[in-house]
Amino acid sequence: RVWVRVAHALVELPLIRQAFQDGAVSFDEVRVLCRYATAENEGELLALTAETPVEDLASAIRRELAIESRKRV
């Protein structure tokens, strides 16, 4: 499911798609980026991957976009 979700999201995200194709970002990074990225903010979020470990990427993106994290029940 994750691969399909990411593939569908990459259709609308050319910068992230190109970075993934070039090997500049890993699938794990792309998976996180595709959850939050839009055509308008993908460049900004893609830049976060250069300075943020993949395990901290989702929280860094939420901070950048001022999105509150929801606790899982």
Side-chain angles (χ1 to χ4, degrees), residues 6-17 34 37-40 42:
V6 168
H8 284 289
L10 287 176
V11 170
E12 303 294 326
L13 302 168
L15 297 176
I16 295 172
R17 182 177 61 237
C34 286
T38 64
E40 293 79 28
E42 69 172 318

Side-chain angles (χ1 to χ4, degrees), residues 16 19 32 41 55 61-62 67-68:
I16 295 172
V32 174
N41 70 9
E55 58 271 2
I61 290 172
R62 284 193 301 269
I67 297 173
E68 286 191 33

Side-chain angles (χ1 to χ4, degrees), residues 24-26 29 33 42-65:
V25 291
S26 70
E29 292 168 318
L33 287 168
E42 69 172 318
E44 177 184 338
L45 298 185
L46 191 56
L48 280 175
T49 63
E51 58 196 41
T52 308
V54 69
E55 58 271 2
D56 298 329
L57 189 56
S59 58
I61 290 172
R62 284 193 301 269
R63 273 194 309 277
E64 184 76 22
L65 299 177

